Structure formats: C-alpha cells, structure tokens
C-alpha cells in the first residue's frame, strides 16, 4: 500500500520512543509543516477535558488558526492532572517551538492513554532532537506516525484522497486512532484523535467552515459504546504547498474530505474492542434529521439490541422498543424494518413474510445493514455501530487501573 | 415468611395455568377486589406501547379511577400486535367483567413476555372459571400471584408495610416483576409491572397524587441496562376495607408506600440478568436535583464504568469521564469520589491517599456505594444500578426470537 500513497506536500512526519508507553513501542509522534499551516479543530463536548484539549483550544485562538507542529503522545492522556497537567503540556509546546523554530502558540498538543497520572513532560522534551532527525515526507514516515499514536487500536488507521483543482493535484491524508470509549459528540466540538492534512491553500476561516460538516456526517455518526472521551480531537491542517486555492464552498474538496473522514470513522468502528458485528443503520422517514439521529443513537446504545446482534438474533421487538424510547416523534403503526434485504417488521408488527432463517443468515456476516422507515416525515440519518459481546466486557473488566 | 404476612383486606388473589408460558407454569394471575377499589396508575414513557397499556389507560379514564379486577398474563406482552392486540385485550376484559360481575371498564389488564406475537385471548378467557375457583386472601395466594407474573425473574418480589391510623391497622402489600430491560422513565408515566394493594380508604384523586412521588424516588431511580420496556406499569389499588381514611398528605402513609416501592425497586435491581454487583450512587452537590439525576444516569448507563465494576476495578477515570458527558453543569476541579469509605478521587484528580488494594476490596462485595460530591450546588439524588458482565451479554445474546 505504501508504494501507492502520495502524501500532501508541505508536511514531514516522525515517531520516536519517549518511554511513556509501558510496551516500549514508539509513543511520541510529530507532524511538522515546512511553513506555518492553516488549521481548524474540533474537540470533545465532555465537560471534563484533558490538559492538551484546554491548551490546544487556546493555541488556535492565540495563533489565529495557525499550526507549525503537531505533537502527539500516547500512553498518558494528561487528563485529571490539574494545573500541573497544563504546565506539563506547555513545557512540551515551548520546547517544541524552540526545536522547530516557530511560535509556541503554533504547536498543537495531543495526548491519549491513561487518565489521572501526571504527564512525564521531560521525557517528551528530551525526545525532540530525535524527532527532528527522524522527520521525513515518505509514506513510511506517515505510517510510523499512525502507529505511534495507537493505544487500544489493533491496527493503524489512514485514509487518502486526491482531486484536481485547476490542473493541479490536491491531496488529503488522514490518520486516526480510537477503539472503544467512542461516542463522539461534536456540537460544537468533539471526537477521537484524528489528524487531517492537505496541501490545498485554504484560509483558517474556510477550514473552520469546512470541518464541522465532514465531522458531523462521519465521526458524529459512529458509536461503539456510548461513552465520550475526555480527549477527543479532530485537527485539519492545510499547508498550501500545492499552490491551488480552495474555498469553503469547493464541492469536490468537501466531498474528498468527507470521504477521508468517513473512511477513518468506519475504520474506528471496525476496530472496536470485542466487536464481532459492524452495523449500518439507515433511518428514513423521521419527523426531522434530528429525530432520525435520536432513533439511531437509541438503537446504537441499547444493550439489549446489541447483544441480540452479538447472538445473530433477528430480534425486531428490541429494535422497536429502542425506537420507542428514543424520544423521536413516531407512529408505532407505521414502522417498517429491513435486515439486509429481509423485511422483519411491517407496520409496527412482525412482517408477514418474515423468514427467520434468512434473517439470521444476514447476521452471520460481520457487516450488515438495518433500514428503518418511520413513515412520519423525510428526516434521515446514516449511523454506524457495533454489537456488544462478552469479549468487550472481558477486555473492559480487566483489572488494571 | 408467609406466616407473618398480613395482607390488606378487601382483595383476593389467584394464579392458574393458561398454557401461554412455554414452561407450562402458572401464567395468568388475577387480583379481585371484594368491592370496587380506587385506583391510580403510571405507565411507560416508551412511545411504543403494548395493547394492555393503551387499554389500561383508557379503562382508568372511563371508570373514573375504579378497578375491580386486575388480570395479568405472562409469556406474551401483547405488544406490536396492532388492532388485533387491542381486540384481544378487550376480549379478555369483557369476559372477566362477566365472570366477576363488574363493569368492563373496571378490569385492568397487563401483559409481559414476548413482543410481536398475537395474544391467545381465548386461552385466558377459558381460564377465568378456574381463576374464580382459586381465589383466596391468604399469603400463599398472594405468593402464587407473585410467581405467575414472573418471566426472567429468578424469584418472586414482594414487600409489605403497615401503619396505624386512628387506632386501626392499615396495610400495604406490593408485588413486582422485572429483571433486565429495566430503565423506568416515569415522567409522567412509566415502570415495570408493579401492583400495590392497600386497605386504606383513599379516593382515586388522592391515589393519583400519592403515586408519582413514591414512584419517582424508587422505580425512577434504578437502572440495569438503560432500556425502557414497552409494557412498564405501576398500579396502586385501595380497597377501603380497613375503614381508615387516608388523604394524599398523610405523611406516615406516604412513608410506608415509599418503603414498599423502594424495597421492590431494590429487589428488581438485585435480580438483574447476569448481575454480580449492585451499586448505590449517592450524588451530592449538583447544581440541581435534575443535574444530580443526569450524573447518576450517565454513570448507570456507561458500559466502561459498569464493566470496570464487573472486574472489581476501582477506576475513577471512567467515572469522571461519565460525569463529564452527563450534560450536568460541573466543575472538573471540584469533583470528589468515594468508593465505600475509600476516597479515590479528590478535586478532580487521583486522591492523595488513594489505596488501590483497599478500594479493590470494597468492590469484592456484591453491594457497595459510590458517593460523588460535585461541589457546585445542593442538588442530590440516590440511584441504584448494576455492573455489566459477560453473563449479561450471554443471556441476552442467546438466539431465540
């Protein structure tokens, strides 16, 4: 795969070992822009926020939406660490600014890992010279960045797209980490760790206009277990190195960005802890798009629905119960449900031609769709979620603070 | 135990086999008042409601809050059964009215069991003569009623209280079923199947004033898995047979009713599918009682928190993350958390004298408390919930539509 990736120009990547992850694997990843890049970001809506989220928000405001360095450490979330956590974060950004020759406000920090343990900032500071030596712009460098930010992920997550703007190739590359504790709430901020790089020439203002819609239709439409992390972040950087100018209303660019975000969101959901089924919910005919989303979320968070999926049980009763308590305006007598191509519920009751064996076989596949027609409006929503398995419980019940 | 129970006067109970439960156990339970009783009820807030809930609501309105017969069948929820389900329900109430000599509107129906399968009303109608023969007012008759309404319960659930009013003994007896699919939302209606009987003399209006507060502090404060059933019902009947009049503001009666409801609610939560821990959440210092309840619900529905409990892991990081996304107004730097007597979180960070082994040992007990001080107001709430275990998943993933 690496031989076919063309990265957006204007960025270099590196990952080194800062000895924070107990495994001893590379755990400090940096992206450095050749010259300062435009930036926009969205953060978790959890009111308990990690120090890097507090600092990152401030940095973007202070710098006017400009970023030169992205510094991500894995193994320690620097969350619930009080004032000391803020200071540790600032220690790292200050040192990175010196190392790479930029303003401190142009260094964007992220952390992921254990909560409540002080961040060993000195280890990160000490690793900066090694980062500088390791920087490169090849696909392999990008993949090393992708691996170093992983925690519970079983594989690195990347996505790429490119378009032509006035005869010039413009590229987008995205990298994400996240599996479990995934339920992004991006109104107005939220998500897991996602870094999107493009060599389009876009102002910070336009990036800030572009980002929310792409995030809404991707990262805001996935859920593994309903929990929202304290560290969720999506950062979008534009180096301008392609020379091609793109505005917020550039349809093809929006579409490519959507595609990269959706690919990463699907990879995150596919890598959920203990996941054996990935389910796409297609909600149609709701009173509004907001209601369609309510229905999707109620289903995605219902332990009874998700355990039925784990057991490959085409149980539509639990589905309509979840629809019923979603808070969406519904007419129970108008609900139709399809499992793959099999209709299992019709007018709020068991479908006349309900074929239990055929419906069960749809569920033997790792991925399947559930389409729900509510018949009360034109609101709709696509949403992706997973089953709930004994393995998920086992992983999360392991006793290790 | 049966020898010490004194049931409220004015009611008789019976349970027979109507051949609806596949097990062949008794599955049709009736309570018949000697003369028409005052009644009040609360129902599920799920917008998908079973036929008996639709009919039950109408009956109370039509009868002016009077009930002579309670007819409960287990093994079939008569939900998602359309117009046929309503007719089936009415067939049963009409036949019961003839059997026991009362108005059809004075027969209160309930059902619990599988969703989406037509109710075999003829079987219930055919069983009514046997019910009449079996009616009795002893504790054993009451326990048979309690067992016949069980579905996934592992044991019958009853509670009793008595007070003195003007030298006369007034009794309350409660019976409930429910385990799993338990998350009552009683604003303004909701719950699982709960029948409360008293021989106090109370008007329907006063019963309707008394019931909500008792339900709010008990059934509305428990959650096993966040799902809200389509059939939840709490019914309160007063026969008046003691001759002692009680008004809605009778403090001792309110207290006794609260006690019976809380006992039943605790029994329900204790009998949750696959439960190995029952946790009492004591939320203090919230901006409002409503905020305290938000915090409690976020914790009670967090798979990451609940799996940590299953593993006896004193993980406070997951707790504060849940507090953070609850939607309650909080100050992350003011959060204190105690696990039993062990403080595990102080000012939003790891408690200085955090003793992991001692905290772990608290969790080795089946029941423990978690106290959370939010420090932003005086809102508070007590809430009871359970852990999330692999056994829960196993039970609910079993493939049987």
């Amino acid at each position: 795969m690496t031989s076919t990736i063309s990265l957006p120009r204007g960025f270099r990547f590196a990952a080194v070992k800062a000895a924070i992850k107990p495994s001893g694997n590379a755990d400090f990843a940096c992206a450095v822009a050749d010259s300062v890049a435009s930036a926009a970001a969205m953060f978790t809506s959890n009111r308990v926020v990690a120090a890097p989220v507090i600092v990152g928000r401030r940095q973007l405001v202070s710098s006017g939406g400009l970023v030169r360095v992205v510094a991500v450490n894995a193994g320690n979330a620097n969350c619930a660490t009080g004032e000391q956590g803020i200071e540790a974060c600032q220690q790292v950004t200050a040192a990175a600014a010196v190392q790479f020759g930029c303003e401190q406000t142009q260094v964007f920090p992220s952390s992921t890992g254990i909560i409540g343990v002080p961040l060993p900032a000195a280890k990160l500071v000490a690793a900066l010279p090694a980062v500088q030596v390791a920087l490169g712009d090849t696909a392999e460098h990008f993949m090393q960045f992708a691996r170093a930010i992983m925690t519970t992920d079983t594989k690195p997550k990347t996505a790429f797209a490119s378009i032509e703007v006035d005869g010039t190739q413009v590229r987008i590359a995205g990298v994400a980490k996240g599996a479990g504790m995934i339920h992004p709430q991006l109104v107005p901020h939220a998500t897991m760790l996602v870094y999107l790089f493009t060599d389009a020439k876009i102002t910070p203002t336009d990036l800030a206009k572009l980002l929310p819609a792409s995030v809404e239709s991707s990262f805001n439409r996935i859920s593994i277990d309903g929990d929202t992390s304290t560290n969720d972040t999506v950062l979008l950087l534009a180096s301008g190195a392609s020379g091609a100018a793109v505005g917020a209303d550039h349809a093809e660019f929006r579409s490519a960005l959507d595609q990269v975000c959706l690919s990463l969101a699907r990879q995150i959901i596919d890598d959920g802890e203990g996941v054996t089924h990935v389910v796409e919910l297609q909600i149609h005919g709701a009173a509004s798009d907001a209601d369609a989303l309510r229905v999707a979320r109620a289903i995605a968070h219902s332990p009874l629905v998700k355990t039925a999926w784990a057991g490959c049980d085409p149980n539509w009763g639990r589905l309509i119960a979840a629809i019923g308590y979603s808070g969406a305006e519904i007419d129970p007598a108008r609900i139709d449900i399809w499992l793959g191509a099999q209709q299992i519920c019709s007018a709020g009751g068991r479908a006349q031609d309900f074929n239990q064996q055929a419906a069960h076989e749809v569920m033997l596949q790792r991925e399947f769709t559930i389409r729900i027609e509510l018949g009360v409006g034109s609101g709709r929503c696509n949403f992706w979620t997973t089953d709930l398995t004994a393995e998920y419980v086992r992983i999360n019940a392991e006793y290790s603070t």
Side-chain angles (χ1 to χ4, degrees), chain A:
Chain A
M1 177 175 88
T2 47
S3 58
T4 57
I5 294 172
S6 295
L7 294 176
R9 286 142 292 181
F11 298 101
R12 287 174 302 148
F13 305 90
V16 301
K17 296 178 192 183
I20 294 180
K21 267 186 188 167
S23 64
N25 291 338
D27 53 11
F28 185 30
C30 292
V32 180
D34 297 343
S35 53
V36 79
S38 302
M42 296 179 76
F43 300 94
T44 182
S45 62
N46 194 315
R47 291 175 196 231
V48 173
V49 284
V53 171
I54 294 171
V55 172
R57 270 195 189 118
R58 288 180 196 162
Q59 302 287 69
L60 287 176
V61 169
S62 304
S63 69
L66 300 173
V67 169
R68 198 57 214 297
V69 178
V70 182
V72 188
N73 76 280
N76 186 308
N78 196 7
C79 178
T81 44
E83 273 309 308
Q84 283 185 326
I86 302 282
E87 280 159 24
C89 191
Q90 286 169 336
Q91 200 181 329
V92 174
T93 56
V98 169
Q99 185 77 46
F100 300 108
C102 66
E103 299 293 322
Q104 185 179 3
T105 58
Q106 295 168 355
V107 179
F108 186 93
S110 287
S111 299
T112 177
I114 201 163
I115 294 175
V117 173
L119 178 75
K123 289 185 175 182
L124 297 174
V125 168
L128 285 166
V131 168
Q132 178 141 55
V133 166
L135 283 171
D137 61 4
T138 72
E140 181 51 32
H141 288 88
F142 191 69
M143 293 311 298
Q144 284 180 12
F145 180 104
R147 286 188 205 103
I149 65 173
M150 288 168 48
T151 52
T152 53
D153 311 70
T154 63
K155 48 189 181 278
K157 302 171 172 79
T158 60
F160 307 90
S162 77
I163 61 172
E164 271 207 17
V165 178
D166 301 331
T168 304
Q169 197 186 45
V170 168
R171 300 166 186 157
I172 304 175
V175 57
K177 62 85 54 183
M181 208 182 224
I182 297 292
H183 182 68
Q185 302 245 54
L186 285 148
V187 189
H189 302 293
T191 283
M192 62 297 324
L193 294 189
V194 178
Y195 306 98
L196 307 161
F197 304 91
T198 180
D199 49 18
K201 197 167 158 181
I202 316 181
T203 64
T205 305
D206 278 356
L207 282 181
K209 287 180 186 169
L210 278 164
L211 189 57
S214 292
V215 159
E216 188 63 21
S217 60
S218 61
F219 303 113
N220 251 4
R221 293 290 178 274
I222 64 172
S223 178
I224 291 176
D225 55 23
D227 282 280
T228 304
S229 156
T230 50
N231 287 54
D232 288 348
T233 302
V234 179
L235 176 70
L236 171 60
L237 299 188
S239 66
S242 67
V246 165
D249 55 356
H250 196 288
E252 222 184 332
F253 185 86
R254 294 191 78 111
S255 191
L257 184 61
D258 284 351
Q259 181 192 319
V260 167
C261 288
L262 191 56
S263 170
L264 291 172
R266 295 292 303 274
Q267 291 177 57
I268 287 168
I269 203 85
D270 195 57
D271 197 21
E273 297 166 322
V275 166
T276 65
H277 288 96
V278 177
V279 181
E280 178 172 339
L281 303 176
Q282 300 166 350
I283 314 297
H284 293 261
S288 62
D289 287 353
D291 259 9
L293 185 56
R294 284 186 183 95
V295 168
R297 287 203 170 121
I299 292 170
H301 302 157
S302 163
L304 282 171
V305 169
K306 292 155 79 79
T307 50
W309 291 343
C312 303
D313 176 0
N315 189 317
W316 57 274
R318 293 181 183 185
L319 274 168
I320 62 164
I323 293 168
Y325 67 69
S326 68
E329 194 187 312
I330 59 162
D331 180 347
R334 299 179 75 88
I335 299 173
D336 295 330
I337 304 177
W338 287 262
L339 183 59
Q342 301 294 320
Q343 185 162 9
I344 57 176
C345 172
S346 172
R350 182 188 174 95
Q352 283 225 340
D353 49 354
F354 177 78
N355 182 333
Q356 186 158 311
Q357 184 55 29
H360 171 62
E361 279 170 18
V362 169
M363 304 181 79
L364 292 177
Q365 314 203 60
R366 177 179 169 84
E367 295 188 23
F368 57 85
T369 59
I370 291 179
R371 179 161 66 97
I372 295 169
E373 289 278 357
L374 296 167
V376 294
S378 55
R380 47 175 308 206
C381 158
N382 282 353
F383 199 99
W384 292 267
T385 185
T386 64
D387 56 4
L388 174 60
T389 63
E391 180 67 1
Y392 172 92
V393 174
R394 190 195 64 75
I395 289 170
N396 285 297
E398 268 177 55
Y399 176 27
S400 56
T401 327

